[in-house]
Amino acid sequence: QVQPVESGGGLVQAGDSLRLSCAASGTLLFSMNTMGWYRQAPGKQRELVASITSSETSNYADSVKGRFTISRDNAKNTVYLQMNSIKPEDTAIYYCNTVPRRPWDSWGQGTQVTVSS
């Protein structure tokens, strides 16, 4: 069972950068899981924006491709999301979890990213 704790969000201006972190406790098999960053904007469904496999192959939603980079540190059970050239439409609560999310993996509190234009 993955229990994530996200951090690193904040209020930024368009064009700025942020680095989000997710410490995923509760599993001894973190390194074997595909992990991802999801986000949920106000009034919208939660969407997957980036994922990274156990072999560190990454995939991105078209909306963030070329601007966001996902990485992982298996020794620390931590996943990162480097966000560059941030846009107002990136405003959302960001969560990390397994991909696809398993029913027994909890959602964390997420970390709020707010982008002003």
Side-chain angles (χ1 to χ4, degrees):
Q1 180 183 9
V2 170
Q3 297 170 322
V5 178
E6 300 92 350
S7 62
L11 174 62
V12 298
Q13 293 187 334
D16 283 353
S17 297
L18 273 178
R19 190 192 194 204
L20 307 184
S21 299
C22 170
S25 64
T27 177
L28 298 177
L29 301 176
F30 174 85
S31 63
M32 297 178 64
N33 293 328
T34 295
M35 298 296 298
W37 282 95
Y38 300 76
R39 70 185 180 188
Q40 187 166 20
K44 295 187 178 181
Q45 290 189 333
R46 189 155 16 203
E47 61 173 345
L48 177 67
V49 295
S51 63
I52 185 166
T53 68
S54 58
S55 58
E56 302 199 8
T57 299
S58 57
N59 283 284
Y60 301 92
D62 288 343
S63 58
V64 306
K65 199 171 294 183
R67 300 187 297 119
F68 291 8
T69 302
I70 188 171
S71 60
R72 64 192 299 162
D73 184 338
N74 291 332
K76 297 181 179 179
N77 278 17
T78 299
V79 183
Y80 304 98
L81 187 68
Q82 178 66 42
M83 306 169 65
N84 297 330
S85 302
I86 298 176
K87 301 177 180 181
E89 51 263 44
D90 295 323
T91 295
I93 301 175
Y94 284 73
Y95 305 87
C96 77
N97 218 306
T98 48
V99 179
R101 190 183 75 88
R102 302 168 302 188
W104 53 87
D105 290 330
S106 305
W107 287 109
Q109 293 294 314
T111 186
Q112 175 73 51
V113 174
T114 303
V115 186
S116 62
S117 56

